[in-house]
Amino acid sequence: MRRASCHLLQCMSTQGICRTGTDRTNQVFRHSVSLKRHLSLSTARQQVAPISDQAIEAFTGVVGEKNVSRAEIIREQHGRDESYHPCTLSDVVVWPRSTEEVSQIVKICDQSRIPMIPFGTGTGFEGGSSGMKGAVTIDLTQMDQIIDFHPEDFDVTVEPGVTRHALNDYLRDQGLWFPIGK
């Protein structure tokens, strides 16, 4: 069985297992992609310096003081998801309210070489919201507007903070729903 036959949707990286559906026996084999990724992130964590006070001030200038937090409890809430990965903290959490603010945050991070971690609701299973020293977590939950809706095409454009529950509440009057979860 070749690793190339393992399809992306069938990979379970949180468990380091890949089930292939192309073989009659449906073999299960271990792979080391998750471990290699974790080790490379660990190495990267050691090489990143803490975020400077100048960068924190720049973030505050973009999103306002109430939308920037260095509090440990807030960073802990943003340093984990539903995966088995241990909680790791970023240096700061910011809450942009628009794409323009996200763009400005990204520019600051690019100029200061600060790693960025996007955060939605923290319900992922791959450890994607895990923080790292010297990084900023960008919490997108305040960007929760429904931008455009075309019921005839079953098409809706939303900001990243729109939850499936909020979307279904919006769609209910049209007799539509987003059929994910309960």
Side-chain angles (χ1 to χ4, degrees):
M1 176 80 42
R2 295 184 347 241
R3 288 183 188 224
S5 66
C6 181
H7 301 287
L8 178 62
L9 293 177
Q10 295 168 322
C11 285
M12 297 174 280
S13 63
T14 58
Q15 298 172 3
I17 296 173
C18 188
R19 177 171 282 125
T20 60
T22 57
D23 188 38
R24 285 186 198 145
T25 60
N26 205 18
Q27 294 180 351
V28 176
F29 61 92
R30 294 245 171 234
H31 64 88
S32 60
V33 173
S34 295
L35 181 59
K36 287 179 184 175
R37 180 177 175 270
H38 178 71
L39 291 175
S40 66
L41 286 176
S42 297
T43 304
R45 284 188 187 111
Q46 295 170 1
Q47 298 172 353
V48 177
I51 295 178
S52 70
D53 290 336
Q54 291 174 317
I56 301 290
E57 289 174 16
F59 294 142
T60 303
V62 171
V63 296
E65 191 172 337
K66 70 176 187 166
N67 291 316
V68 177
S69 179
R70 294 172 98 173
E72 186 172 350
I73 191 73
I74 300 296
R75 294 183 299 135
E76 282 179 9
Q77 291 169 352
H78 289 82
R80 72 178 79 233
D81 57 14
E82 299 297 322
S83 71
Y84 65 89
H85 298 287
C87 179
T88 52
L89 306 181
S90 295
D91 288 4
V92 64
V93 178
V94 297
W95 288 267
R97 296 171 304 259
S98 67
T99 54
E100 292 79 19
E101 288 181 355
V102 171
S103 178
Q104 291 174 6
I105 291 167
V106 169
K107 286 178 186 175
I108 294 165
C109 291
D110 181 51
Q111 292 167 353
S112 303
R113 301 193 47 83
I114 298 170
M116 299 166 276
I117 295 134
F119 186 87
T121 57
T123 57
F125 290 105
E126 283 83 26
S129 64
S130 295
M132 63 187 284
K133 182 177 181 172
V136 60
T137 297
I138 304 172
D139 185 321
L140 301 167
T141 57
Q142 290 188 14
M143 296 178 62
D144 60 356
Q145 300 299 306
I146 295 175
I147 306 298
D148 204 6
F149 178 50
H150 301 279
E152 66 280 359
D153 297 327
F154 301 104
D155 181 55
V156 62
T157 305
V158 302
E159 290 183 333
V162 174
T163 65
R164 64 180 171 84
H165 295 294
L167 179 58
N168 280 329
D169 287 345
Y170 184 86
L171 297 174
R172 183 179 302 133
D173 294 337
Q174 299 289 327
L176 300 172
W177 80 97
F178 184 64
I180 302 293
K182 294 181 180 183

